[in-house]
Amino acid sequence: MKVKTLLLTIMLSLGSIFSYAQKINVKRIDPPSWWTGMHNPHLQLLVFGPDISKIIPEINYPGIRLAETIHVASPYYLFLNLVISPKTKPGTFTIHFKKGKKEVAGYAYTLHKRNNNPKLHQGFDNSDVIYLLMPDRFANGDTTNDNMPGMLEKANRNNPNGRHGGDIKGIEEHLDYLKDLGITTIWSTPLMEDNLPTYSYHGYAQTDYYKVDPRFGTNQDYKNLVKEAHAKGLKVIQDMVFNHCGTNYFWKNDLPTPDWYNRWPKFTRSNYHGGVVSDPHASKYDYRHMAAGWFDTSMPDLNQDNPLVANYLIQNSIWWIEYAGLDGIRQDTYPYPYKDFMSKWMQRILQEYPHFNVVGETWFSYPATVAYWLENNRNKDGYHSHLTNVFDFPLMMAINRAFNEKPGWDTGLARLYEVISQDFVYSNPMKLGIFCGNHDSNRIFSSLHKNLKAWKMAMAFLMTTRGIPEIYYGTEILMTGEKSKGDGNIRKDFPGGWPGDKMNAFTPQGRTAEQNDAFNYLRKLLNWRKSNKTVQYGKLTHYIVENGIYVYFRSYESQKVMVLLNNNDKPVTVNLNRFTEDLQGFSTGNSIMDNKTHTLTKSLTIPAKSPMILELRK
Ligand code: CA
């Protein structure tokens, strides 16, 4: 680099703290940078600094037009609407802030060149299996960041609801473990700064949407993690929260506009009944309490009806997709923000990244309510969410009960059949994220009363039915936990993730015999699934559950996979007559878990409380 260029770069990078006569301190501009070559030419900058509203901004950079300067109620903010023409070259320029003719502040702003690598931002689909982890509880790769200056909560592993020190480095160090297990995609619960004095580890009360919490690492660390994951063939989904932020956001003492948050005369909690949003009979009272009530005292409810708030959130998500090279987003509490905003958000994302995926947390007991939120659903009220994926909570609830119950008309495995038989309500049931549990529910091994056989059946079902499977960290080593014992109980540290841990379950030697049995089972299943298009994309045909046996097929081109689940405590011989329409043309089935070949002439005997997964052969 030439000396002149170097000096210029240093001067520009110091822009935000540059000294001017009668200087004005521009404390931050969000988004902190942007890109050229975006499909949408508009960019709205939030400028934050004392008395900034009295200052006149000016930008002289070829291709950029400052179309509008928006003043708001608070004197601490200016919003600048820029239009970036398609020919604009990447580079750093100064936003001049003037009082009369005198410049009182300058802020260096960078436009990077958009990354047009066609391999990026391709989303996830049915070929993927998602691994959900909580970064604070997965692995502590850097003990020096457990406590950081300015961060209010200090690490305390003895407190189930405290911070335990896990971080991005911990995830990075176990990418090979995850790849070996056979998952393809990592979804980490939020990594952005959550600077609250207590209960901050979960990250759902974010205090800076543009900054990774320093106890997890830096933005660059996160970017590196995505890069490392990609190099190993793994995808990364970021968890975002648009409904609420944390009380300690930088704007807390001086909101840009009085309606930045949804306000109530006194603290008013959401009724948490997301169903009222799609309910044709809902009262306005219930709707307002649902959408504008606060999720918690520490989580102010953002008002996405304010276009400035809406832009702030939309641009933030695009910023992360582009900055980190994300493959997908999981959006928290999907029905809680205003739904028209959410639809607009999705359209904006798909405008920039047509193959990108977002999966919404649609926590409902009934398929119809979940279906309302999925793209292309024919909702009678005309609502179109444009949301590419939703989580199948009704199936999760069914899985957690089905394997514990005796066969009955609508109990036992019939629960699985009943939920899936309602797939007609979905525009595309293959777009459902399917799971046994997550960070807010009982761990599956506990739900199944620590019955390893039932656990194996649950895993076999999850990996072979329609949808995109997700497993919660520690499922593979039979971690236990019950929601009724507190969130900490279902979010325990992964053994071996911390220096000095007695057990290291990341290695076979550190796992018990039972854990190895489970791990090896799931590993085999996942790695088989990874290379089997039939089980990923195949059409599902299932048969009514009879005598505690659930049988279904996946068909793809000329290939078929047959799955039999026997939930009885004894072996059962299944007469194959009923399945002729699917078995026609096939003479044998190879059991993928034990590599045994079964003839498909008359019957099959399924061992007690066991699954059988067969690749059919001619
Ligand atoms: Ca740490």
Side-chain angles (χ1 to χ4, degrees):
M1 195 184 275
K2 286 179 186 169
V3 175
K4 207 173 155 188
T5 327
L6 182 67
L7 277 173
L8 185 70
T9 313
I10 293 169
M11 279 176 68
L12 288 173
S13 59
L14 289 172
S16 56
I17 50 166
F18 207 71
S19 285
Y20 286 82
Q22 292 179 301
K23 65 180 178 184
I24 285 281
N25 186 9
V26 178
K27 287 190 168 176
R28 68 186 279 166
I29 293 185
D30 288 346
S33 59
W34 202 247
W35 291 269
T36 60
M38 303 300 269
H39 295 301
N40 188 318
H42 301 283
L43 172 65
Q44 184 169 76
L45 301 179
L46 175 156
V47 183
F48 175 63
D51 292 327
I52 194 71
S53 72
K54 295 172 191 158
I55 312 299
I56 312 293
E58 198 179 292
I59 296 172
N60 303 303
Y61 190 79
I64 298 180
R65 184 165 62 88
L66 175 54
E68 192 185 0
T69 301
I70 301 172
H71 296 264
V72 288
S74 164
Y76 280 70
Y77 302 86
L78 276 180
F79 290 83
L80 311 184
N81 286 350
L82 310 190
V83 182
I84 304 167
S85 88
K87 287 178 185 166
T88 309
K89 291 203 168 84
T92 300
F93 58 89
T94 304
I95 304 174
H96 306 280
F97 293 92
K98 291 184 169 175
K99 220 176 198 174
K101 287 188 174 173
K102 215 178 221 173
E103 183 155 336
V104 290
Y107 197 98
Y109 198 83
T110 300
L111 287 177
H112 301 281
K113 189 176 182 303
R114 181 180 178 170
N115 192 335
N116 288 315
N117 182 344
K119 285 185 180 167
L120 287 173
H121 320 123
Q122 291 304 299
F124 51 86
D125 72 1
N126 296 86
S127 64
D128 289 304
V129 174
I130 301 166
Y131 188 88
L132 162 63
L133 60 83
M134 297 200 86
D136 183 62
R137 304 298 168 89
F138 186 61
N140 189 355
D142 179 2
T143 52
T144 67
N145 66 13
D146 293 1
N147 299 298
M148 292 296 277
M151 293 295 107
L152 299 173
E153 188 175 9
K154 304 299 171 199
N156 176 9
R157 254 186 112 186
N158 296 320
N159 176 3
N161 297 318
R163 292 197 82 98
H164 292 188
D167 46 40
I168 290 173
K169 188 143 186 280
I171 303 171
E172 200 170 321
E173 284 174 352
H174 295 95
L175 290 177
D176 286 332
Y177 165 84
L178 296 173
K179 189 178 165 68
D180 173 61
L181 176 60
I183 62 97
T184 69
T185 306
I186 299 162
W187 155 27
S188 158
T189 53
L191 286 155
M192 297 310 126
E193 182 191 277
D194 185 331
N195 197 9
L196 293 182
T198 58
Y199 208 63
S200 69
Y201 73 94
H202 57 67
Y204 287 102
Q206 297 177 16
T207 51
D208 193 334
Y209 281 133
Y210 280 102
K211 189 176 142 211
V212 164
D213 194 295
R215 291 161 292 190
F216 290 141
T218 63
N219 286 8
Q220 187 62 47
D221 291 337
Y222 182 62
K223 191 174 174 166
N224 291 347
L225 170 72
V226 177
K227 204 174 161 191
E228 284 283 308
H230 286 172
K232 293 180 190 296
L234 299 170
K235 299 176 184 177
V236 177
I237 294 176
Q238 189 178 108
D239 202 332
M240 291 188 180
V241 194
F242 282 2
N243 179 63
H244 49 263
C245 59
T247 34
N248 276 346
Y249 214 94
F250 79 86
W251 52 46
K252 65 175 177 177
N253 293 325
D254 204 337
L255 296 175
T257 65
D259 68 346
W260 199 256
Y261 295 155
N262 285 313
R263 296 301 190 107
W264 298 83
K266 60 176 187 174
F267 174 76
T268 302
R269 206 175 272 284
S270 172
N271 55 29
Y272 305 115
H273 280 265
V276 303
V277 180
S278 52
D279 177 0
H281 312 295
S283 65
K284 290 189 182 77
Y285 179 93
D286 284 347
Y287 175 75
R288 178 156 168 71
H289 279 74
M290 165 60 207
W294 287 28
F295 204 80
D296 204 350
T297 48
S298 60
M299 298 172 175
D301 198 66
L302 288 160
N303 173 20
Q304 305 88 5
D305 268 354
N306 178 329
L308 299 172
V309 175
N311 272 334
Y312 189 85
L313 296 171
I314 289 171
Q315 292 180 162
N316 175 262
S317 64
I318 291 172
W319 192 88
W320 277 112
I321 296 171
E322 191 61 38
Y323 171 81
L326 299 178
D327 301 289
I329 290 172
R330 178 265 186 185
Q331 181 65 247
D332 190 52
T333 51
Y334 209 87
Y336 290 70
Y338 293 121
K339 67 178 178 182
D340 290 334
F341 158 75
M342 295 305 272
S343 174
K344 197 177 145 200
W345 170 59
M346 278 308 307
Q347 291 174 71
R348 182 75 181 87
I349 284 190
L350 295 170
Q351 180 190 18
E352 295 298 345
Y353 310 100
H355 306 294
F356 198 78
N357 287 78
V358 175
V359 55
E361 185 196 18
T362 43
W363 193 313
F364 297 112
S365 306
Y366 300 99
T369 347
V370 177
Y372 180 82
W373 296 95
L374 186 59
E375 64 178 2
N376 303 319
N377 216 60
R378 289 185 185 170
N379 292 319
K380 284 187 179 168
D381 64 359
Y383 181 65
H384 191 172
S385 73
H386 296 275
L387 176 62
T388 60
N389 301 81
V390 288
F391 275 120
D392 191 349
F393 279 88
L395 191 62
M396 181 272 268
M397 294 169 200
I399 294 171
N400 277 266
R401 298 176 69 178
F403 298 100
N404 294 333
E405 294 174 342
K406 293 261 181 285
W409 181 257
D410 53 6
T411 56
L413 300 192
R415 288 188 188 279
L416 308 179
Y417 175 88
E418 290 296 338
V419 171
I420 289 178
S421 71
Q422 291 169 60
D423 276 0
F424 65 89
V425 300
Y426 294 110
S427 54
N428 183 357
M430 294 294 276
K431 300 270 186 167
L432 291 162
I434 54 172
F435 59 107
C436 296
N438 64 18
H439 57 295
D440 288 319
S441 66
N442 285 344
R443 280 189 172 275
I444 185 66
F445 197 49
S446 291
S447 279
L448 300 174
H449 310 305
K450 300 188 189 177
N451 182 326
L452 184 61
K453 287 189 161 184
W455 179 92
K456 284 181 180 176
M457 259 200 295
M459 292 301 123
F461 169 68
L462 193 66
M463 297 307 156
T464 55
T465 189
R466 95 289 188 263
I468 306 167
E470 168 250 296
I471 54 169
Y472 183 42
Y473 81 95
T475 298
E476 71 274 26
I477 54 157
L478 307 175
M479 280 173 73
T480 55
E482 288 160 58
K483 175 89 174 164
S484 61
K485 293 179 180 167
D487 283 341
N489 198 260
I490 53 176
R491 302 169 178 177
K492 291 174 203 155
D493 299 344
F494 193 105
W498 276 249
D501 276 1
K502 278 182 204 151
M503 300 279 281
N504 180 6
F506 287 113
T507 67
Q509 301 77 24
R511 297 192 279 262
T512 65
E514 192 182 41
Q515 282 175 326
N516 269 323
D517 187 353
F519 181 92
N520 294 337
Y521 185 86
L522 188 58
R523 180 174 176 273
K524 189 163 187 177
L525 189 58
L526 287 168
N527 281 284
W528 166 74
R529 190 188 189 281
K530 206 155 65 169
S531 59
N532 190 299
K533 279 203 160 60
T534 310
V535 78
Q536 295 167 3
Y537 300 108
K539 180 192 179 311
L540 173 72
T541 306
H542 65 172
Y543 290 78
I544 298 163
V545 176
E546 283 184 1
N547 307 319
I549 307 275
Y550 183 31
V551 178
Y552 53 94
F553 292 80
R554 304 293 304 274
S555 311
Y556 183 80
E557 296 174 347
S558 60
Q559 308 290 313
K560 274 192 197 213
V561 168
M562 180 185 193
V563 182
L564 303 99
L565 305 176
N566 175 13
N567 200 33
N568 297 286
D569 291 320
K570 57 176 196 286
V572 173
T573 298
V574 181
N575 186 318
L576 296 177
N577 276 346
R578 214 160 44 111
F579 317 114
T580 311
E581 67 187 73
D582 274 296
L583 290 175
Q584 226 160 26
F586 296 97
S587 59
T588 60
N590 182 51
S591 166
I592 62 113
M593 294 311 290
D594 57 13
N595 208 24
K596 279 185 189 154
T597 300
H598 299 265
T599 53
L600 301 170
T601 40
K602 282 182 184 163
S603 61
L604 277 173
T605 301
I606 320 298
K609 204 93 185 161
S610 294
M612 185 181 279
I613 305 170
L614 302 174
E615 276 180 343
L616 302 193
R617 292 186 181 158
K618 295 191 170 146

